[in-house]
Amino acid sequence: MEGKIVIDPQIWLDRIKYRKASQKFKPDSLSKRINDKNLEEFNDKNSQRIGNISSGLSAYTGTWTDWEKMHLLKRTGFGFKRSDLQALSTYTMFQSVDIVLTADPSNPPAPVNWYQLIDENGLAFGSDWTKNAINSIDKGVATNLVRSESLKYWMIHQALNQNISIREKMVQFWYHFIPVNFDDVYLSSNLYCATNSARICYDYIKMFRQNATGNFKQIIRQVATHPAMMYYLNNQANSASAPDENFAREVMELFTLGNNSGNTYNQNDVIQAAKLLSGWRVLNLNQPNPTTTFVSEVHDYSTKQFSSFFNNTVIPGTGASELDVFIDMIFSKNNMVAEHICRRLYRFFVYYDIDENVELHVIQPLAQILIQNNWEMLPVLKALFKSEHFFDIANRGVMIKSPFDFLIGNLRGLNLSYNTSPSFDHASQYQLLYLLNEEGLKLMGQVMGEAPNVSGWSAFYQKPNFYQYWINSNTLQRRFTFIQGLFDGTIKGLKYDELQYLTTFPNNICQDPNLLVQEVVKMLLPVNLSAEELLNIKNSTLLTGQSNDSYWTAAWESYKNLPLPKNLSIIKPRLKSLFTHILQLAEFHLT
């Protein structure tokens, strides 16, 4: 199957449907190509997990093979490298999860001026711009815009260069759960935002990096007065004379309590919350370290009376301290708050379908762990990722990869070189990241820093289709175009080399076509294929119709012993055929 990757979306979706239903593959295929209406009908019929799953949070005691290790690595990171898998080779499941959940709180080098020798604000090339305040409301707009874009590229770079840690995945969890859109902050029409928005958006992401597995209640408190959120949900304009309910509503409905039928807080609660949240202001956005200050003159000092949902709580008008009382009041609804975030965690890391069994055996126990540990997230994550439920076969290979997982995970998994040399060649590095964003993520439907709204991306919360929102007749083809570009070298600075990839494989695997197919499938797909399909792949790619395995073995040994062009010409196209065959399977888009 050498040449262009060709995809029939209907066949692809049919394979995903059957994978989800039975962990097997449907042998027949449909010739009708899919359109958006077909996709909608498909999603309506296939939005729930097939059959019951009763496993819970009891510690996993099953086999601990490469397949389980890879499941852990892929769900807690953006793909994995072969070296990541090898790094866990001597560790038990308990030890491996502890390693993965160790999130280093230190900060990597900040984004820099890669765009001009000297920018509008006088910042030299290669210098950190995150503390370089622009003390103007108009001079520096262009610089701020390119800084904001470079922040998105910097986030891609951090994900690409992650270590064996859940931190980068948790940063994205928090960002999609409690987002700010970088462009909306820039366009918020507040003083100095047009010239300094990038700096506070960087600080917002930095907050999540430092608290990746930290305390949920403390994160909500920091978010409440963070300059980026102040502008994004307009609490910056909230005052006694002109109340703004935006943040007050979302902090309850989206970030803490949720909007399930049992949550009966009402519009008056939102009004009262807006009153007590009034008066907070960012006054120093044009300074190196912007902060949010309480300005008493614009605060509503009236007494705030909440509904019976909050036990008729009364919060006197004392000023700045009202915010902490309000957050304590929200978190007094501990079961609702804990269950809400545990459902969001589950849908991000495990699967979207939360049925009665999952609610009873996973969500509610996780919520109690969170409450008992005073809102610390790490014990919850440990319980989840060490559980029999997480490693249940029903939860493997059933999530459609997000564009982040697909693009970043594939670059890492295929062992491409995405770091330019030398390291101080910032222009080349950021230009490559720019291409990944513009020719990859943006076309696939997900861009770092561009959450579509305050709810985040639909795939992580929107019933009934969840992850299937990532796929339509356009975005699916974009995925294959990107992969094809890696093979063809049409993405400047990136070209996939099958032989370079195989340098990480032992020679005894490379020379045996059966072992080689099995190993490549293991590294690139979330679950194994049937023996029949593995055989068909071997025969149609490495053997190209030959009947004897020795054909490939002899060709490989000839190349290893004497890597002449004529020997290379035999194995190179067959390796490309092997990889293109596997990379266009539906399972390649699952995790």
Side-chain angles (χ1 to χ4, degrees):
M1 197 176 292
E2 184 183 1
K4 296 296 180 184
I5 294 177
V6 180
I7 182 65
D8 185 327
Q10 183 61 54
I11 296 174
W12 187 89
L13 285 168
D14 189 50
R15 288 175 68 88
I16 283 186
K17 172 183 175 182
Y18 213 72
R19 156 68 64 195
K20 186 169 67 173
S22 64
Q23 303 297 326
K24 298 178 181 178
F25 303 102
K26 199 168 186 176
D28 59 304
S29 62
L30 302 175
S31 60
K32 183 180 70 173
R33 294 189 63 83
I34 197 167
N35 57 37
D36 290 334
K37 184 175 185 299
N38 300 142
L39 186 67
E40 182 178 351
E41 292 173 353
F42 170 87
N43 288 339
D44 287 343
K45 296 175 182 177
N46 300 282
S47 60
Q48 298 297 313
R49 188 185 346 235
I50 306 298
N52 292 327
I53 175 172
S54 59
S55 54
L57 293 185
S58 297
Y60 175 69
T61 58
T63 59
W64 184 238
T65 69
D66 284 351
W67 288 103
E68 286 75 37
K69 294 170 189 175
M70 292 185 296
H71 178 62
L72 174 67
L73 289 169
K74 285 187 281 191
R75 290 294 181 90
T76 57
F78 294 103
F80 72 99
K81 293 187 174 184
R82 189 176 180 85
S83 57
D84 297 334
L85 181 62
Q86 293 168 339
L88 297 181
S89 61
T90 61
Y91 294 104
T92 66
M93 181 276 289
F94 284 93
Q95 293 170 328
S96 297
V97 173
D98 287 341
I99 290 170
V100 166
L101 295 184
T102 301
D104 181 1
S106 63
N107 291 301
V112 300
N113 171 9
W114 65 278
Y115 41 86
Q116 291 175 317
L117 292 178
I118 301 292
D119 75 11
E120 288 179 282
N121 207 42
L123 184 70
F125 181 84
S127 298
D128 173 2
W129 53 255
T130 61
K131 301 296 182 185
N132 184 247
I134 299 177
N135 193 23
S136 171
I137 59 173
D138 49 18
K139 182 182 178 183
V141 172
T143 292
N144 181 55
L145 284 173
V146 75
R147 287 179 177 182
S148 184
E149 289 300 305
S150 73
L151 173 56
K152 301 172 187 177
Y153 312 152
W154 177 85
M155 292 171 68
I156 298 173
H157 193 248
Q158 303 316 309
L160 284 168
N161 289 280
Q162 65 188 274
N163 54 20
I164 306 178
S165 168
I166 198 174
R167 182 169 71 167
E168 298 305 326
K169 209 63 174 284
M170 283 301 297
V171 169
Q172 287 305 317
F173 167 76
W174 290 120
Y175 176 72
H176 101 83
F177 179 34
I178 316 175
V180 299
N181 183 292
F182 297 173
D183 296 338
D184 288 348
V185 175
Y186 160 73
L187 294 169
S188 64
S189 300
N190 287 282
L191 190 65
Y192 296 113
C193 255
T195 51
N196 287 279
S197 65
R199 296 192 304 111
I200 57 174
C201 288
Y202 165 77
D203 193 68
Y204 193 75
I205 299 301
K206 179 181 174 181
M207 172 185 67
F208 290 144
R209 296 183 67 82
Q210 293 175 326
N211 298 279
T213 59
N215 188 284
F216 177 45
K217 186 176 180 181
Q218 291 176 12
I219 288 174
I220 291 296
R221 177 59 182 86
Q222 290 184 59
V223 164
T225 54
H226 193 283
M229 182 59 76
M230 290 291 295
Y231 292 122
Y232 181 57
L233 289 184
N234 209 36
N235 209 49
Q236 175 78 2
N238 184 14
S239 66
S241 60
D244 189 293
E245 301 172 2
N246 209 357
F247 180 74
R249 176 175 292 103
E250 308 304 4
V251 72
M252 291 190 285
E253 181 175 325
L254 296 180
F255 306 157
T256 56
L257 294 165
N259 56 3
N260 294 327
S261 57
N263 297 355
T264 56
Y265 53 88
N266 56 37
Q267 175 59 24
N268 183 65
D269 291 325
V270 174
I271 293 172
Q272 300 305 306
K275 290 179 180 180
L276 67 81
L277 289 166
S278 63
W280 292 93
R281 295 290 184 271
V282 183
L283 301 177
N284 59 346
L285 187 55
N286 61 330
Q287 300 300 313
N289 295 290
T291 55
T292 301
T293 304
F294 181 74
V295 180
S296 60
E297 291 81 2
V298 291
H299 179 64
D300 187 324
Y301 278 91
S302 66
T303 298
K304 289 80 180 177
Q305 172 73 60
F306 288 86
S307 70
S308 58
F309 175 81
F310 289 112
N311 300 318
N312 299 308
T313 296
V314 174
I315 300 180
T318 57
S321 62
E322 294 175 54
L323 172 56
D324 291 306
V325 177
F326 171 63
I327 290 177
D328 286 342
M329 182 185 73
I330 289 177
F331 278 80
S332 71
K333 311 296 291 187
N334 50 23
N335 287 330
M336 287 186 178
V337 173
E339 288 171 8
H340 176 61
I341 187 173
C342 287
R343 292 186 193 105
R344 295 301 296 265
L345 271 173
Y346 185 87
R347 286 180 168 135
F348 190 84
F349 286 104
V350 184
Y351 193 58
Y352 67 78
D353 182 18
I354 300 177
D355 59 18
E356 292 181 4
N357 284 329
V358 173
E359 184 71 28
L360 178 63
H361 298 301
V362 180
I363 302 302
Q364 293 178 13
L366 285 177
Q368 292 308 305
I369 292 171
L370 183 58
I371 294 168
Q372 292 162 10
N373 287 275
N374 197 29
W375 305 104
E376 291 291 335
M377 297 298 296
L378 187 57
V380 174
L381 296 170
K382 285 188 175 183
L384 177 61
F385 292 120
K386 292 179 180 179
S387 71
E388 60 180 6
H389 184 82
F390 176 72
F391 290 104
D392 195 308
I393 191 62
N395 289 323
R396 303 191 210 177
V398 291
M399 288 171 58
I400 297 175
K401 294 176 183 175
S402 71
F404 292 165
D405 267 313
F406 182 78
L407 184 144
I408 296 169
N410 286 336
L411 291 181
R412 298 184 73 246
L414 293 171
N415 205 32
L416 272 78
S417 178
Y418 38 73
N419 293 319
T420 59
S421 182
S423 60
F424 54 79
D425 186 0
H426 303 296
S428 295
Q429 182 65 75
Y430 276 82
Q431 285 166 2
L432 174 58
L433 297 168
Y434 161 82
L435 289 174
L436 294 178
N437 189 66
E438 297 299 314
E439 297 185 15
L441 294 176
K442 186 168 288 187
L443 298 178
M444 296 177 198
Q446 190 181 31
V447 175
M448 292 197 176
E450 293 186 20
N453 53 58
V454 70
S455 298
W457 284 280
S458 300
F460 298 122
Y461 69 88
Q462 188 64 60
K463 299 178 181 179
N465 299 330
F466 293 98
Y467 312 138
Q468 295 177 55
Y469 282 108
W470 293 130
I471 297 298
N472 58 48
S473 54
N474 179 53
T475 58
L476 178 59
Q477 197 60 51
R478 297 293 189 181
R479 291 182 177 218
F480 282 93
T481 299
F482 179 80
I483 291 296
Q484 188 69 55
L486 296 181
F487 277 84
D488 294 344
T490 56
I491 302 174
K492 186 177 179 181
L494 287 176
K495 191 173 190 308
Y496 180 63
D497 186 334
E498 302 90 344
L499 285 171
Q500 190 279 331
Y501 180 77
L502 292 188
T503 59
T504 62
F505 287 31
N507 190 61
N508 69 302
I509 289 179
C510 294
Q511 68 183 4
D512 185 324
N514 298 290
L515 295 179
L516 181 56
V517 170
Q518 292 170 18
E519 191 71 8
V520 173
V521 164
K522 185 181 80 173
M523 296 300 295
L524 298 181
L525 301 184
V527 288
N528 207 355
L529 302 180
S530 66
E532 180 183 5
E533 189 153 10
L534 291 171
L535 179 62
N536 289 338
I537 292 173
K538 179 193 72 171
N539 290 338
S540 64
T541 61
L542 297 182
L543 300 189
T544 55
Q546 301 291 324
S547 59
N548 198 314
D549 290 348
S550 62
Y551 173 78
W552 170 260
T553 302
W556 177 261
E557 291 178 344
S558 295
Y559 164 73
K560 290 294 290 183
N561 293 330
L562 200 61
L564 296 175
K566 67 175 184 178
N567 294 331
L568 179 64
S569 67
I570 296 175
I571 66 165
K572 184 79 169 177
R574 286 162 178 80
L575 284 174
K576 184 174 182 180
S577 177
L578 169 63
F579 280 91
T580 54
H581 183 106
I582 293 173
L583 297 185
Q584 64 186 303
L585 293 175
E587 294 77 20
F588 182 63
H589 296 256
L590 299 176
T591 183

